[in-house]
Amino acid sequence: MHMSGLLAGKTALVAGVANRWSIAYSIAQAFRREGATLLLTYQGERLKSQVEELGAELGAARILNCDVTNDAELAALVAVLEAEFPKLDIVVHSIAFANKEDLSRPFLETSRDGFLLSQNVSSYSLVAMARALTPLMTDGGSIMTLTYLGATRVVENYNVMGVAKAALEACVRYLAADLGPRNIRVNAISAGPIKTASARGIKDFSKVLDGVAQHAPLRRNCDPAEVGDTAVFLGSNLGRGVTGNTIFVDAGFQIMGL
Ligand code: NAP
């Protein structure tokens, strides 16, 4: 697609690229197309070489390790960014985790540990990232995260992750209120179901994809590139009046009743 430079002069950190199917990968692609300086973070040594390869393809300026549940790693990330980049404009949080057994058995069976783990990785991490990184967003900016309809509706097998997304969407609103006076906007993109590594952890995920294709107003699933373009909107000056919001990029599925 033709570049229009909507993000020229902006530095964007994208957390959550694990592979080519990651939603964060599509967002990173769209950001580069629009001229952003791109920084990627990944979790741990296991992914290092893989993400470095993808980062090189994407033309990323820097690829850094950061497990978002580890405050020391967040602080180390901030130290590197502070030393190397004059300011940060955009932060993308595209991270979630829950135990596989909590995405298949009845929600009633969720363990305390499984509940807290999913909250720590999938919702609190947005707060931790915002607190660590906003001091670098000296010229205002845009923070965004990825959520799903299971936050507000019961979606079979989404279970503990739905509760984590509900908390995440509430975090978006409270962070938007705290950071608005600094002209930092905070929003969530609620993507329709997309076949990724994380989605494979959800039992019967292909049924969800089929249901959306049949019933969504656009009669298809969403394309991760559409999420990327919405992220460009939120990160750019075009989105300057939007904060505390959850924007659905789901082929319209969420408006449907039966
Ligand atoms: P993905 O490719 O598996 O991305 C999830 C990312 O989270 C991975 O890069 C994963 O790294 C990372 N992560 C997990 N724990 C982490 C930690 N402690 N520190 C740093 N990174 C960590 O799957 P995805 O579908 O693109 O998911 C991205 C976001 O979109 C998630 O928030 C997901 O809930 C949301 N979302 C997905 C869909 C969908 O249908 N796919 C729909 C709506 C919203 P590892 O691989 O190392 O664990």
Side-chain angles (χ1 to χ4, degrees):
M1 205 185 276
H2 186 66
M3 171 183 152
S4 47
L6 286 167
L7 301 179
K10 293 195 191 292
T11 300
L13 180 138
V14 178
V17 175
N19 53 53
R20 243 175 262 285
W21 294 272
S22 296
I23 294 174
Y25 181 84
S26 294
I27 293 173
Q29 262 184 331
F31 281 7
R32 273 304 287 160
R33 183 192 74 216
E34 298 299 335
T37 298
L38 187 63
L39 317 171
L40 300 182
T41 65
Y42 60 90
Q43 175 195 200
E45 284 302 306
R46 185 176 52 83
L47 280 181
K48 188 175 197 291
S49 63
Q50 191 173 316
V51 180
E52 278 178 348
E53 209 171 287
L54 296 172
E57 257 175 49
L58 288 163
R62 206 76 162 75
I63 300 148
L64 298 153
N65 175 47
C66 184
D67 175 341
V68 293
T69 63
N70 185 323
D71 288 328
E73 290 191 13
L74 269 168
L77 170 70
V78 170
V80 172
L81 298 184
E82 219 164 24
E84 295 185 17
F85 298 91
K87 66 175 172 46
L88 185 62
D89 304 285
I90 302 170
V91 173
V92 176
H93 171 280
S94 185
I95 288 170
F97 185 78
N99 287 329
K100 201 168 171 157
E101 63 266 25
D102 287 330
L103 302 173
S104 56
R105 62 187 177 191
F107 176 69
L108 185 65
E109 305 301 327
T110 308
S111 68
R112 192 182 301 275
D113 284 350
F115 188 98
L116 294 177
L117 171 69
S118 68
Q119 288 284 348
N120 191 22
V121 180
S122 317
S123 76
Y124 182 73
S125 61
L126 178 71
V127 182
M129 278 185 78
R131 194 167 59 248
L133 293 167
T134 45
L136 306 178
M137 300 173 83
T138 49
D139 192 23
S142 176
I143 298 175
M144 62 196 88
T145 185
L146 272 297
T147 188
Y148 178 59
L149 182 64
T152 53
R153 311 275 177 84
V154 173
V155 175
E156 208 178 345
N157 295 322
Y158 202 63
N159 299 2
V160 75
M161 189 51 75
V163 178
K165 292 302 192 192
L168 179 69
E169 291 178 11
C171 289
V172 163
R173 292 186 285 270
Y174 279 94
L175 290 171
D178 276 0
L179 295 168
R182 289 194 249 166
N183 198 27
I184 298 171
R185 298 178 289 106
V186 188
N187 292 285
I189 299 176
S190 189
I194 295 171
K195 240 185 213 167
T196 64
S198 291
R200 275 199 287 278
I202 301 161
K203 194 179 163 219
D204 292 335
F205 184 75
S206 58
K207 276 197 209 158
V208 179
L209 286 170
D210 291 346
V212 169
Q214 277 171 32
H215 300 295
L218 298 181
R219 296 291 189 277
R220 60 172 178 82
N221 277 284
C222 78
D223 176 341
E226 295 165 348
V227 178
D229 286 347
T230 299
V232 168
F233 160 74
L234 285 175
S236 77
N237 194 45
L238 295 177
R240 64 194 176 280
V242 182
T243 193
N245 221 329
T246 298
I247 300 184
F248 286 85
V249 182
D250 68 341
F253 183 77
Q254 65 102 15
I255 66 166
M256 300 306 289
L258 281 178

